[in-house]
């Protein structure tokens, strides 16, 4: 089990660091070669009332094609001054494809939504994932998101691409 992290996971930029005062559609990743995909969203403190909504969709290609809702029921959050928050808070929102934390504005945050490949509509060829953010108003907050694909189906040096079908 003494493997380098990049032999066990693939890390892909979803949303580059950017002002979240405008809605942002993230890049799309393929889960064909992975069992899970952790969507990791990170934002700075910004100001109060700048709460962003995260939306997760499944697609039938990395183009993206035929995007539709991908429901999830668990979200893990660290918020506040992140250098002093040592543990995660797990929430179980009602099944849906969006998450809004209404007291996130004015606080730093790290949010993780972990998707299982088996939760995608594989019968209809949906094997890709995309995260997007809402318009957080006149937001001055900077935010970014990455996908961490894990549980590779085929481990190999250099990893397996998740940005190609």
């Amino acid at each position: 089990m003494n493997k380098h992290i990049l032999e066990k996971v693939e890390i892909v930029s979803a949303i580059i660091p950017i002002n979240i005062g405008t809605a942002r559609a993230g890049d799309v990743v393929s889960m064909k070669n992975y069992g899970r995909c952790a969507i990791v969203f990170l934002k700075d403190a910004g100001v109060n009332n700048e709460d962003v909504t995260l939306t997760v969709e499944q697609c039938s290609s990395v183009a993206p094609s035929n995007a539709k809702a991908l429901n999830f029921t668990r979200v893990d959050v660290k918020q506040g001054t992140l250098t002093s928050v040592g543990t995660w808070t797990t929430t179980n929102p009602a099944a849906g494809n969006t998450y809004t934390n209404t007291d996130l504005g004015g606080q730093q945050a790290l949010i993780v939504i972990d998707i299982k490949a088996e939760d995608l509509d594989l019968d209809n060829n949906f094997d890709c994932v995309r995260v997007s953010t809402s318009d957080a108003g006149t937001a001055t907050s900077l935010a970014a998101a990455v996908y961490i694909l894990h549980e590779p189906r085929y481990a190999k040096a250099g990893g397996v691409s998740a940005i190609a079908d």
Side-chain angles (χ1 to χ4, degrees):
M1 289 293 183
N2 191 14
K3 292 185 176 182
H4 186 279
I5 188 169
L6 295 180
E7 293 175 11
K8 300 183 283 186
V9 303
E10 174 67 9
I11 303 169
V12 179
S13 176
I15 299 172
I16 60 168
I18 199 156
N19 181 303
I20 57 173
T22 303
R24 305 289 178 191
D27 201 356
V28 180
V29 289
S30 171
M31 292 187 64
K32 285 181 182 175
N33 295 308
Y34 296 91
R36 297 180 83 101
C37 177
I39 300 166
V40 181
F41 179 78
L42 176 69
K43 71 173 276 303
D44 72 2
V47 298
N48 289 333
N49 301 317
E50 290 182 347
D51 299 313
V52 68
T53 296
L54 300 178
T55 301
V56 181
E57 295 175 306
Q58 56 188 318
C59 307
S60 57
S61 74
V62 294
S65 301
N66 305 321
K68 71 177 189 176
L70 177 56
N71 294 342
F72 53 89
T73 57
R74 177 178 172 166
V75 178
D76 294 277
V77 179
K78 285 185 181 184
Q79 73 185 72
T81 304
L82 294 182
T83 55
S84 65
V85 176
T87 59
W88 294 94
T89 299
T90 300
T91 61
N92 300 102
N97 76 316
T98 62
Y99 173 73
T100 304
N101 182 330
T102 57
D103 66 351
L104 201 56
Q107 296 186 54
Q108 296 172 356
L110 188 58
I111 300 170
V112 176
I113 301 169
D114 198 37
I115 302 296
K116 293 185 272 188
E118 65 198 49
D119 292 339
L120 279 70
D121 182 3
L122 299 174
D123 292 339
N124 291 304
N125 298 316
F126 285 84
D127 56 11
C128 298
V129 173
R130 172 174 66 183
V131 66
S132 300
T133 64
S134 66
D135 178 347
T138 59
T140 56
S141 293
L142 293 177
V146 295
Y147 301 113
I148 301 177
L149 292 108
H150 51 116
E151 296 183 10
R153 298 183 199 286
Y154 313 100
K156 70 176 197 174
V160 179
S161 178
I163 59 172
D165 284 319

